[in-house]
Amino acid sequence: MSQIAERTPEAERQHRKEQLAATYRIFAKLGFEDGGVGAAGHVTARDPLEPDTFWVNPYGVNFGHITVSSLIRVSHEGEIVEGEALLNRAAFAIHSQIHAARPDVVAAAHTHSMYGKTWSCLGKPLRPLTQDDCAFFEDHVVFDAFTGVVFDTDEGKAIAHALGDAKAAILQNHGLLTVGASVEAAAGCFIAFDRACQSQLMAEAAGDPVVIPDDVARGTYATVGGQMAMTFTFTPLYDAIVREQPDLFD
């Protein structure tokens, strides 16, 4: 935390952009893209110099090809203020409203990952079936008002309202959404959330899972559900992708 506090705003901007570009590369490796072209997924990072703007991927570019220099900066009004590329209107409609409603949120992640979107069809929250699932106990919501592709900021406001102060949301018939106080935390949270969906799909398909009691789940959440825990989910993957694909810093 001390290193973050010592960064200048300019250095923090660069840090967030590097973490964001790495997140896209990691998400590509994990198969979180829908169709392989980045058309149905977006991760954003609030800009520390102009907090009413955020950085996001250019529309239609493969997650595995995202670099620091290819990111674009967008205002909460939907104007591209830095970079030259197409803007995903759904990314703007959802993320602008989340960033506006949650000053504590630095980053937000949403994709149509296979396990996440499959679980979302059930329209129900995750249960505390495993220790890892407890990371989301009483800290995620289900947004059950699917009306099609989100192009309207009113729909984004509805998602932000449903999210409340939680760190994750299941968007029914759609996919997953996570937020965090850093890019690392939001990305780590998304990875853990999708894995939890995968685990629960498998457990429920196999039989009648044993549910962890609420008091035990709540106590376990205190250890595995915080921002630091989410960051630690991401950090080893970040270290690996930087070594493997250093061109992401271009």
Side-chain angles (χ1 to χ4, degrees), residues 22-234:
T23 293
Y24 284 113
R25 297 294 186 99
I26 292 166
F27 278 18
K29 290 199 70 173
L30 294 175
F32 290 168
E33 279 189 290
D34 188 19
V37 295
H42 15 88
V43 188
T44 56
R46 188 190 301 274
D47 185 74
L49 290 167
E50 298 184 41
D52 59 348
T53 68
F54 57 85
W55 295 90
V56 68
N57 58 313
Y59 181 68
V61 177
N62 187 292
F63 280 8
H65 297 163
I66 298 293
T67 63
V68 170
S69 63
S70 69
L71 298 169
I72 60 176
R73 186 160 62 92
V74 182
S75 73
H76 286 182
E77 289 70 44
E79 177 186 1
I80 297 176
V81 296
E82 193 167 344
E84 296 183 7
L86 293 175
L87 170 64
N88 185 325
R89 300 309 300 179
F92 164 68
I94 295 173
H95 291 256
S96 65
Q97 301 309 306
I98 291 173
H99 283 291
R102 292 280 299 273
D104 60 307
V105 165
V106 165
H110 165 64
T111 82
H112 301 174
S113 58
M114 180 57 67
Y115 298 114
K117 68 181 178 183
T118 302
W119 179 264
S120 78
C121 298
L122 303 179
K124 62 182 182 180
L126 296 175
R127 295 185 291 170
L129 301 184
T130 70
Q131 174 178 300
D132 295 336
D133 297 342
C134 292
F136 300 96
F137 184 69
E138 299 179 329
D139 198 12
H140 73 289
V141 302
V142 176
F143 178 72
D144 61 1
F146 179 76
T147 59
V149 179
V150 181
F151 288 136
D152 194 323
T153 54
D154 285 342
E155 185 80 357
K157 287 178 182 177
I159 292 173
H161 178 75
L163 178 66
D165 60 1
K167 69 170 179 279
I170 297 166
L171 309 181
Q172 185 174 298
N173 305 110
H174 188 172
L176 305 180
L177 171 76
T178 61
V179 299
S182 66
V183 176
E184 302 97 305
C189 186
F190 191 95
I191 293 165
F193 205 27
D194 189 74
R195 287 174 175 167
C197 289
Q198 179 184 9
S199 175
Q200 298 224 353
L201 285 165
M202 294 173 68
E204 294 198 1
D208 187 15
V210 175
V211 180
I212 297 171
D214 285 1
D215 59 334
V216 177
R218 195 169 293 117
T220 305
Y221 169 86
T223 301
V224 303
Q227 293 289 296
M228 190 60 70
M230 297 297 100
T231 298
F232 284 147
T233 298
F234 177 80

